[in-house]
Amino acid sequence: MRFQFILSEIGIGLRRNLSMTISVVLVTAVSLFLLGFGILAQKQVGLMKDYWYDRVQVSIFLCGGDSTAATCSSGPVTQAQKDQVVADLNSPQMAPYVEKVYYESKQQALDHFKQQFKNSVLANNVTVNDMPESYRVKLKDPKKYQTVAQLFAGRQGVEEVQDQNQVLDRLFALLNGLAMGAWAIALVTLSTAVLLVATTIRLSAFTRRRETGIMRLVGASNLVIQLPFILESMIAASLGALLACLALGPVVQFVIRDWLAGKLPFIEQWVGMNPLDFGQAGNALYVIPILFATGLVIAGVSSFVSLLRYLRV
């Protein structure tokens, strides 16, 4: 009987404050969607860092026929100059800094370029002579880039020494900024959801103050009186979390996995919401329980705190 009574009270409360309940659902959905998007953005940045920082960190580009750098004034790099670069990279002086050295020929550079930009018009307009030879150096400590750069920068036959981590850091800083922006907006909207839930509970408690008074007189406990109000807000929050998850799935799949991945083909790992996707990136379904838990906690706590003050008879 008590369980049926609580269910009936929940139904009455939801019907009486339908517009407010819908508002709670929508605000909660928007805030949790932004929260989930921020979590996935951070996950994506983490995947990219793990992938790229574990690979090439310094590139030593050699002079080609079209190079305009001052160090290339004598023409393309000679075999003697290439041998000297390799000898210096493998010297005892570089042993504390260099972990591994990769040589990339013009043809290999062209093949990698076409693979990375296979959906771009550039892939069909670049020839092997347009690509530079290079040595790709993986460092034991990426922070020691300057040590390698000082040794090879300005050397005849070397067009440029590039720290790819610096380029990646700018990209990751931008992505982190977008993620933090989503987190900030989510925080604001979650605060709005808390205030809206509290206002809805106060309104519901006020409209049902007579029923509450009768329940007090017949000896109902605080839990029995408060539980319908708390469950009402938690149901609304659950619906909002469900809407957020339903919206997050298509955004991840079509915006990130399809559109953005097509624009950035050189990034090989992406988050996904496909439950069958357990590949390199894995799936991002772990955000679903986080969103539901966040919504339920916000609704439950804000309702309980509001009832402590506004449900007195």
Side-chain angles (χ1 to χ4, degrees):
M1 177 63 72
R2 180 173 296 180
F3 180 71
Q4 293 179 348
F5 171 76
I6 292 175
L7 290 179
S8 65
E9 286 295 304
I10 293 173
I12 292 172
L14 292 175
R15 288 194 301 271
R16 283 184 177 179
N17 302 288
L18 184 59
S19 59
M20 294 292 289
T21 301
I22 294 175
S23 300
V24 171
V25 171
L26 294 179
V27 171
T28 303
V30 172
S31 59
L32 293 179
F33 171 82
L34 292 171
L35 177 64
F37 185 82
I39 294 174
L40 293 181
Q42 291 287 354
K43 172 69 173 177
Q44 181 61 54
V45 172
L47 285 172
M48 293 166 61
K49 285 183 176 180
D50 292 341
Y51 180 82
W52 286 104
Y53 281 161
D54 191 44
R55 283 160 173 78
V56 175
Q57 294 160 337
V58 175
S59 296
I60 302 174
F61 293 101
L62 306 178
C63 295
D66 298 329
S67 300
T68 58
T71 53
C72 301
S73 57
S74 59
V77 63
T78 64
Q79 186 61 45
Q81 291 171 335
K82 291 166 61 175
D83 292 341
Q84 186 60 49
V85 171
V86 174
D88 290 340
L89 286 172
N90 294 321
S91 67
Q93 179 185 358
M94 289 289 101
Y97 310 105
V98 176
E99 180 175 335
K100 194 169 184 179
V101 179
Y102 307 85
Y103 170 72
E104 185 175 79
S105 65
K106 290 185 176 183
Q107 185 60 50
Q108 289 173 329
L110 179 63
D111 293 340
H112 290 161
F113 182 86
K114 288 186 175 182
Q115 181 181 4
Q116 293 175 353
F117 298 94
K118 57 184 177 181
N119 297 323
S120 173
V121 179
L122 294 174
N124 299 322
N125 296 325
V126 176
T127 64
V128 67
N129 291 326
D130 296 323
M131 308 305 296
E133 297 177 86
S134 62
Y135 289 102
R136 307 303 179 96
V137 184
K138 183 178 180 181
L139 301 179
K140 295 179 179 179
D141 183 358
K143 296 179 181 179
K144 302 296 184 180
Y145 155 73
Q146 289 297 336
T147 303
V148 179
Q150 291 173 2
L151 181 62
F152 295 98
R155 175 182 295 197
Q156 288 296 316
V158 175
E159 180 178 8
E160 181 186 6
V161 180
Q162 185 182 85
D163 178 17
Q164 294 188 347
N165 283 345
Q166 292 181 339
V167 178
L168 294 174
D169 285 341
R170 290 193 290 269
L171 173 62
F172 294 148
L174 174 61
L175 294 176
N176 275 322
L178 295 175
M180 294 303 295
W183 279 85
I185 298 175
L187 181 61
V188 173
T189 53
L190 283 173
S191 301
T192 304
V194 170
L195 297 176
L196 186 58
V197 168
T199 302
T200 302
I201 291 300
R202 295 173 191 174
L203 178 62
S204 182
F206 178 79
T207 57
R208 291 151 65 181
R209 62 190 183 280
R210 181 179 178 183
E211 292 90 333
T212 302
I214 295 174
M215 293 172 65
R216 288 284 192 190
L217 292 175
V218 299
S221 65
N222 289 333
L223 178 62
V224 173
I225 296 175
Q226 295 176 352
L227 194 58
F229 296 98
I230 296 175
L231 291 178
E232 288 173 23
S233 62
M234 294 181 73
I235 290 174
S238 298
L239 292 175
L242 178 61
L243 290 178
C245 294
L246 292 177
L248 199 59
V251 167
V252 170
Q253 184 63 40
F254 297 111
V255 176
I256 296 180
R257 295 299 294 267
D258 295 340
W259 179 76
L260 191 57
K263 297 294 183 180
L264 302 174
F266 54 88
I267 298 177
E268 300 185 11
Q269 291 184 313
W270 298 92
V271 296
M273 297 290 285
N274 187 346
L276 300 179
D277 180 11
F278 290 99
Q280 293 179 339
N283 68 74
L285 291 179
Y286 69 93
V287 300
I288 293 179
I290 294 176
L291 299 186
F292 273 94
T294 302
L296 292 176
V297 169
I298 288 176
V301 172
S302 58
S303 300
F304 180 76
V305 173
S306 297
L307 291 172
L308 290 178
R309 180 178 178 185
Y310 291 92
L311 200 60
R312 297 175 180 174
V313 179

